[in-house]
């Protein structure tokens, strides 16, 4: 069994946060090597083996790896004891059409799949809850990050000033060329276009900055926001990029987990 190569983020002691790279799996072609997404056309046996190797690396069972079937909307699902009690079919139903997941349970790795869209990971330092968000341009326009922060507040009592955030690998402003209709969608939604847009032959949108601004607007401290700064399009050899490889290719998995056991060194 190959070991997945992860880009890991230092968020806090006892919190495992990461984005998968393309390395360390058994998938082939445009899915090579490491893909765990069921919805992009990869062979099921490869997905299962890759999932197993990731769970082995994280020290969890397969039932404790949770990610939704995303649709570029703003539905958020809380993963709690009730969710864990569901059977496999009920779980799939509960995760259908969901673009963000959150939990306060230890030993449960939640995450989202991306391949140019922006993954955002949140950790509530006070209430020890975590969240994983899929923010493509449509979700960003709909302010899914702000919605997720609000639902964390409603669910766990989260204060935004106590959140740490990671903006993971995604397409950069340089490579995210868009039509006028996408520019207009952001403008009409009230984004600071001078901060997030640039025009060459066509408009370019900075999804990293758009989501960073949404976090700041939601009350997250600037000092607590990490940006990976990795462009998936420019680095399609290491990270999946739908624009570079086509939609029939693998997906990055960005996950976050409250670890069951962690060691303190005094």
């Amino acid at each position: 069994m190959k070991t997945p190569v992860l880009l890991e983020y230092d968020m806090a002691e006892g919190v495992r946060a990461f984005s998968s790279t393309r390395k360390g799996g058994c998938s082939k072609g445009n899915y090579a090597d490491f893909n765990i997404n069921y919805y992009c056309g990869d062979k099921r046996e490869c997905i299962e083996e890759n999932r197993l190797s990731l769970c082995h690396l994280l020290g969890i069972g397969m039932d404790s790896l949770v990610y939704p079937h995303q649709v570029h909307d703003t539905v958020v699902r809380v993963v709690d004891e009730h969710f864990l009690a569901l059977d496999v079919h009920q779980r799939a139903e509960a995760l259908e059409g969901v673009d963000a997941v959150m939990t306060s349970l230890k030993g449960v790795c939640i995450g989202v799949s991306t391949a140019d869209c922006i993954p955002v990971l949140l950790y509530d330092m006070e209430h020890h809850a975590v969240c994983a968000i899929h923010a493509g341009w449509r979700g960003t326009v709909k302010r899914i990050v702000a919605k997720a922060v609000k639902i964390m507040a409603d669910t766990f009592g989260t204060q935004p000033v106590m959140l740490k955030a990671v903006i993971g690998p995604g397409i950069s402003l340089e490579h995210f060329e868009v039509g006028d209709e996408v520019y207009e969608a952001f403008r009409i939604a009230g984004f600071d276009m001078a901060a997030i847009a640039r025009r060459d032959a066509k408009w370019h949108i900075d999804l990293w900055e758009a989501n960073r601004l949404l976090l700041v607007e939601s009350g997250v401290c600037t000092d607590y926001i990490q940006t990976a700064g990795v462009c998936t399009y420019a680095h399609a050899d290491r990270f999946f990029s739908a624009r570079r490889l086509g939609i029939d290719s693998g997906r990055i998995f960005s996950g976050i987990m409250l670890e069951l056991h962690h060691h303190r060194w005094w």
Side-chain angles (χ1 to χ4, degrees), residues 172-190:
S172 63
L173 173 134
E174 180 184 358
H175 292 289
F176 190 45
E177 186 179 87
V178 302
D180 290 350
E181 74 285 355
V182 176
Y183 176 91
E184 282 300 304
F186 278 91
R187 188 188 65 79
I188 291 166

Side-chain angles (χ1 to χ4, degrees), residues 122-127 145-146 148-154 156-165 214-225:
L122 304 175
Y123 169 58
D124 178 343
M125 296 179 281
E126 183 181 16
H127 298 95
V145 164
V149 170
K150 184 180 185 306
I151 293 175
M152 286 189 81
D154 294 343
F156 308 115
T158 298
Q159 300 178 69
V161 293
M162 296 301 290
L163 281 173
K164 285 191 172 183
L214 287 175
L215 288 167
V216 173
E217 286 173 15
S218 298
V220 181
C221 297
T222 302
D223 291 346
Y224 286 161
I225 303 171

